[in-house]
């Protein structure tokens, strides 16, 4: 019986081949966010539990069932591994008074933690990229968030569909809430366990039930759209107009409510049928009350988050490979003089920014060349004692056809640099 310690269920290792793909994806994402003027914010993965209870809502699946919460034995504080990124970002914005001089466009990436049943595309430690636009009240920011997602989908070669809704403002939701409670209370015999539990605490979430037995009842439930004030409807119409002007197709889904309590007005999800039941790859919306709810001065806000694992699974399902980092050169050497010279050559190549693997561990030229080819490097830099004596190297292309050639080190550097620039 093996005594090897395994990883925690639902928390996966990211091995080098997969990590290369992640780095390629992250490079695309960073450049995409830079083009839209968003700046990175990094927050701790541990926060006070009260932050998430206040932000997400105590009567939500995340807070009730999914958070990794524990008491810090050193000081008795209740701490939680972050289950999402918006609450942490808003907490940091308030704590450091980032809105003192106007709105901020921020983004984050990193691991999140929820105690769910692990399945393809859904893990207990998962990773998100999130965007938060704070201090902007107009529908233009709502539309920009959606348009920028559509731009990323084009770069990744995927085509999720957009579902859109509005939750209106607080007064409208309160009127709708009272009507929902009365409606569902009159159908107690049909409600499932989750619906009964949420009836008086969070009836809006009943509309989001995935239980097929609840669908007919939910379809006939009072509609939030019927309660919306003119201001919220004008805002929603403006979002739709901007999306149409930018060629973004969407479907209005009046049952789209999102699972977090802090949303208001515009909400959206990008969904796909290529990943099984877990079809949402990106979701977000407006959360104008959250900054004040967490202790800051009232400020409008909107944002979204996307699951990296799900996006990469969708890219893979579409048959596209994300470009991954490649080494520029693998240095092969044999002989005492060659080894000493190989170290000098490696240093010279790296000093101009080239990625170089210097072979270690000895072996014949033949065995080293096999390792060079397996490394996915663009060139093998071959050094024997003859090359070392002449202060030269032999260059051999590994990724495309071409003759090997013996050149001075400076010429080798120039040649590899030019080839690297052309491939970039």
């Amino acid at each position: 019986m093996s005594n090897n310690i395994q990883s925690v269920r639902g928390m996966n290792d990211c091995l080098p081949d997969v990590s290369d793909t992640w780095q390629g994806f992250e490079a695309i994402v960073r450049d995409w966010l830079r083009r839209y003027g968003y700046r990175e914010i990094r927050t701790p993965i541990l926060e006070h539990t009260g932050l998430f209870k206040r932000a997400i809502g105590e009567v939500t699946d995340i807070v009730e069932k999914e958070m990794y919460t524990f008491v810090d034995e050193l000081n008795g504080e209740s701490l939680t591994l972050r289950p999402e990124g918006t609450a942490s970002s808003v907490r940091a914005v308030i704590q450091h008074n980032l809105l003192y001089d106007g709105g901020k466009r921020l983004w984050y990436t990193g691991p999140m933690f929820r105690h769910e049943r692990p399945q393809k595309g859904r893990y207990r430690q998962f990773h998100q990229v999130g965007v938060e636009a704070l201090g902007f009240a107009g529908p233009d920011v709502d539309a920009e968030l959606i348009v920028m997602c559509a731009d990323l989908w084009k770069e990744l070669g995927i085509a999720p569909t957009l579902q859109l809704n509005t939750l209106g403002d607080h007064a409208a939701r309160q009127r709708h809430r009272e009507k929902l409670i009365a409606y569902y209370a009159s159908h107690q015999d049909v409600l499932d366990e989750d619906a009964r539990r949420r009836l008086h605490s969070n009836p809006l979430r009943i509309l989001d039930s995935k239980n097929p037995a609840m669908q007919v009842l939910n379809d006939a439930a009072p509609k939030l759209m019927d309660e919306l004030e003119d201001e919220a409807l004008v805002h929603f119409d403006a979002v739709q107009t901007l999306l149409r002007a930018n060629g973004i197709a969407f479907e209005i889904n009046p049952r789209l409510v999102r699972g977090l309590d802090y949303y208001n007005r515009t909400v959206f999800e990008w969904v796909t049928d290529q990943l099984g039941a877990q079809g949402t790859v990106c979701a977000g919306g407006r959360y104008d009350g959250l900054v004040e709810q967490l202790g800051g001065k009232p400020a409008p806000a909107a944002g979204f988050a996307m699951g990296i694992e799900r996006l990469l699974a969708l890219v893979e399902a579409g048959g596209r490979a994300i470009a991954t980092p490649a080494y520029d050169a693998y240095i092969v050497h044999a002989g005492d003089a060659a080894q000493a010279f190989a170290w000098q050559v490696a240093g010279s190549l790296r000093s101009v920014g080239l990625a170089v693997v210097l072979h270690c561990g000895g072996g014949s030229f033949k065995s080293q060349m096999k390792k060079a080819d397996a490394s996915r490097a663009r060139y093998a830099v071959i050094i024997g004692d003859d090359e070392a004596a002449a202060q030269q190297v032999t260059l051999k292309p590994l990724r495309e056809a071409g003759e090997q050639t013996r050149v001075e080190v400076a010429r080798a550097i120039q040649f590899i640099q030019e080839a690297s620039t052309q491939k970039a």
Side-chain angles (χ1 to χ4, degrees), residues 12-26:
N12 300 338
D13 299 310
C14 191
L15 302 180
D17 284 347
V18 176
S19 185
D20 285 346
T21 299
W22 279 59
Q23 289 182 31
F25 170 80
E26 289 163 356

Side-chain angles (χ1 to χ4, degrees), residues 331-354:
I331 299 180
V332 171
H333 57 90
D336 291 340
Q339 182 182 48
F341 186 51
W343 279 79
Q344 295 177 30
V345 172
S348 298
L349 293 171
R350 290 173 182 143
S351 70
V352 296
L354 296 172

Side-chain angles (χ1 to χ4, degrees), residues 30-192:
R30 287 177 182 276
D31 183 62
W32 161 67
L33 291 164
R34 178 192 60 79
R35 296 198 308 267
Y36 275 88
Y38 282 78
R39 300 175 66 196
E40 186 178 10
I41 184 170
R42 302 188 184 193
T43 61
I45 63 170
L46 266 182
E47 298 274 7
H48 293 289
T49 302
L51 171 66
F52 301 113
K53 287 185 175 181
R54 286 172 61 182
I56 298 171
E58 295 202 41
V59 190
T60 58
D61 284 348
I62 293 176
V63 171
E64 289 183 329
K65 304 176 183 179
E66 298 170 3
M67 294 202 314
Y68 282 92
T69 297
F70 63 95
V71 175
D72 184 345
E73 294 182 358
L74 294 178
N75 55 23
E77 291 182 318
S78 179
L79 304 177
T80 295
L81 289 169
R82 62 185 182 193
E84 57 95 51
T86 296
S88 295
S89 298
V90 172
R91 189 268 310 150
V93 165
I94 296 169
Q95 181 175 337
H96 301 286
N97 194 28
L98 294 188
L99 298 181
Y100 79 97
D101 60 348
K104 294 290 183 293
R105 286 176 165 89
L106 306 174
W107 72 273
Y108 62 83
T109 188
M112 310 292 165
F113 303 85
R114 297 184 191 177
H115 196 281
E116 301 182 281
R117 182 172 65 87
Q119 53 191 288
K120 183 177 182 180
R122 172 168 285 188
Y123 307 103
R124 290 176 176 173
Q125 176 177 308
F126 58 100
H127 299 75
Q128 287 185 337
V129 172
V131 162
E132 315 293 355
L134 299 109
F136 306 96
D140 47 358
V141 166
D142 303 24
E144 179 184 76
L145 293 172
I146 294 170
V147 169
M148 64 191 291
C149 287
D151 281 351
L152 180 61
W153 308 154
K154 290 176 186 176
E155 286 194 57
L156 295 176
I158 60 178
T161 57
L162 174 63
Q163 294 189 353
L164 191 67
N165 193 23
T166 179
L167 301 181
D169 296 315
H170 179 73
R173 291 197 302 278
Q174 283 300 107
R175 291 193 299 272
H176 183 233
R177 181 181 187 278
E178 292 170 5
K179 291 184 178 180
L180 281 180
I181 291 174
Y183 170 75
Y184 285 120
S186 67
H187 295 85
Q188 287 272 8
D189 56 323
V190 185
L191 301 184
D192 60 16

Side-chain angles (χ1 to χ4, degrees), residues 242-389:
L242 287 166
L243 294 180
R244 293 189 185 99
N246 284 277
I248 307 297
F250 58 88
E251 170 193 348
I252 302 295
N253 179 0
R255 289 170 54 191
L256 177 60
V257 299
R258 302 296 301 125
L260 309 178
D261 282 359
Y262 51 63
Y263 284 110
N264 73 306
R265 293 203 178 183
T266 309
V267 290
F268 62 88
E269 289 187 359
W270 290 92
V271 300
T272 179
D273 59 4
Q274 296 184 49
L275 298 178
Q278 304 302 329
T280 302
V281 295
C282 174
R286 183 160 284 281
Y287 52 94
D288 290 333
L290 185 58
V291 176
E292 183 178 15
Q293 184 179 325
L294 294 181
K297 296 179 180 179
F304 63 76
M306 58 184 68
I308 296 178
E309 286 88 349
R310 291 189 192 182
L311 278 177
L312 291 179
L314 190 56
V315 171
E316 182 181 0
R320 178 177 173 179
I322 291 177
T324 57
Y327 303 118
D328 295 301
Y330 189 106
I331 299 180
V332 171
H333 57 90
D336 291 340
Q339 182 182 48
F341 186 51
W343 279 79
Q344 295 177 30
V345 172
S348 298
L349 293 171
R350 290 173 182 143
S351 70
V352 296
L354 296 172
V356 178
V357 176
L358 173 63
H359 180 82
C360 294
S364 65
F365 272 122
K366 183 177 180 180
S367 66
Q368 291 187 45
M369 286 300 296
K370 286 183 178 180
K371 291 184 181 297
D373 191 55
S375 75
R376 297 183 299 180
R378 294 191 177 99
Y379 291 91
V381 176
I382 304 168
I383 302 173
D385 285 341
D386 288 346
E387 281 90 355

